[in-house]
Amino acid sequence: MKSTSTIGTDMHSMPQTFLLPASTPLTEEAVKLLHDMFTNLHPFDVRNTLLELYHTYVRHEHGNLPINFDEMTAHFFCLDNILKLLTEKQLSGNADGPA
């Protein structure tokens, strides 16, 4: 799937084009929503909010964690790793990889 992105562009530059794997579940609308989210919210702030919510939940629930808690934590840590990578890329100004 080929998609045109306006990520990191301004009035003086051309939109970036990137390819997504053919099997991606991301639609153009989903990519636009992610772009809008990270244009308005820094990944560092999103990550900190999620960590605080996660820790508050764990402290509040004590020993009464849901049956699927292992799956929930796996999802959380996957998202956490993505947000860490995005934060590193934004802070370094490097679109090709972490600092």
Side-chain angles (χ1 to χ4, degrees), residues 18-92:
F18 57 93
L19 296 174
L20 295 172
S23 61
T24 185
L26 293 174
T27 63
E28 286 187 43
E29 183 62 26
V31 172
K32 288 177 186 175
L33 290 171
L34 286 169
H35 172 262
D36 290 347
M37 182 175 79
F38 289 121
T39 298
N40 296 304
L41 304 170
H42 193 283
F44 181 80
D45 295 332
V46 174
R47 181 175 178 267
N48 281 346
T49 299
L50 289 173
L51 281 169
E52 183 63 31
L53 286 170
Y54 176 75
H55 291 137
T56 300
Y57 171 78
V58 170
R59 283 192 307 264
H60 181 264
E61 292 298 317
H62 307 291
N64 303 320
L65 298 175
I67 292 171
N68 62 341
F69 189 70
D70 287 343
E71 184 179 345
M72 291 169 60
T73 58
H75 294 166
F76 175 83
F77 285 118
C78 180
L79 180 59
D80 180 51
N81 286 334
I82 291 169
L83 293 171
K84 277 194 276 190
L85 182 63
L86 289 172
T87 296
E88 290 169 1
K89 285 183 179 182
Q90 275 194 337
L91 292 176
S92 70

